[in-house]
Amino acid sequence: MPTEIERKFLVSPDWSPSVEVASTGVRLQQGYLLASPEKSVRVRASAEQAWLTIKGASDISKGSLERLEFEYPIPLDDAQNILNTLCQQPIIDKTRYSQDVHGLTWTVDVFAGHNAGLVLAEVELERAEQQVSLPDWVTQEVSNDGRYSNAYLAHHPFKHWR
């Protein structure tokens, strides 16, 4: 079964993508058809492709980083229609950057719109116990804080946290 194992961190306010990293930036729009603590169903689209993703829950109370994840490409036109008509509003709007650090690919999401001001970094792992050398631009780990999941942000935008 497909499993996602990831760690998530807040990013230092003075981080900005290098010229090389900035060229990897992809704007993503993401909406939820279902977002509950047990499972989520989302649509994500870039300018060129789109995906339908189904995720199970991780057992945050036990510190688990693993959860089921199934992801399928879908036609971009279908994704735009689903985002505009079926997904809860507001849609998550972010630019995703990729950066290789110490042999692992990190993604940095710079949120816009209702979640502007939030910058998160994620690294996907092969094993839950895998050691990770942290880049100097990450700060607090929020892997087990459900408020930083995109599904939570869709219901409770970051702009309302303050």
Side-chain angles (χ1 to χ4, degrees):
M1 268 193 229
T3 303
E4 173 188 64
I5 305 169
E6 73 179 10
R7 290 178 64 187
K8 189 177 291 199
F9 299 83
L10 295 176
V11 174
S12 172
D14 53 346
W15 176 86
S16 64
S18 65
V19 172
E20 178 184 295
V21 171
S23 68
T24 69
V26 176
R27 183 167 178 231
L28 298 170
Q29 291 188 307
Q30 183 170 303
Y32 286 84
L33 296 160
L34 171 67
S36 74
E38 298 82 34
K39 57 191 162 250
S40 67
V41 179
R42 75 165 186 230
V43 172
R44 178 185 284 166
S46 71
E48 299 173 358
Q49 50 191 151
W51 307 265
L52 175 70
T53 306
I54 304 163
K55 290 188 178 195
S58 56
D59 194 344
I60 291 175
S61 66
K62 294 182 180 174
S64 176
L65 301 173
E66 297 181 49
R67 64 181 170 179
L68 291 176
E69 179 183 60
F70 302 89
E71 188 164 74
Y72 307 98
I74 62 171
L76 188 56
D77 287 343
D78 290 355
Q80 289 301 326
N81 283 329
I82 293 168
L83 286 166
N84 293 331
T85 61
L86 299 176
C87 289
Q88 175 185 340
Q89 300 297 318
I91 298 297
I92 299 283
D93 185 6
K94 61 187 178 182
T95 300
R96 173 165 281 181
Y97 300 93
S98 295
Q99 184 171 355
D100 290 332
V101 180
H102 305 297
L104 294 173
T105 300
W106 287 76
T107 58
V108 177
D109 290 340
V110 178
F111 290 82
H114 292 273
N115 291 294
L118 182 60
V119 182
L120 294 173
E122 297 177 357
V123 61
E124 290 204 17
L125 307 174
E126 293 178 17
R127 302 174 322 280
E129 67 281 353
Q130 184 175 342
Q131 295 298 311
V132 177
S133 295
L134 302 179
D136 59 3
W137 40 263
V138 301
T139 60
Q140 178 182 350
E141 182 164 7
V142 294
S143 299
N144 293 321
D145 187 338
R147 295 176 304 157
Y148 292 98
S149 74
N150 284 271
Y152 183 89
L153 292 167
H155 286 91
H156 309 280
F158 186 66
K159 76 175 189 173
H160 297 302
W161 289 19
R162 298 182 187 107

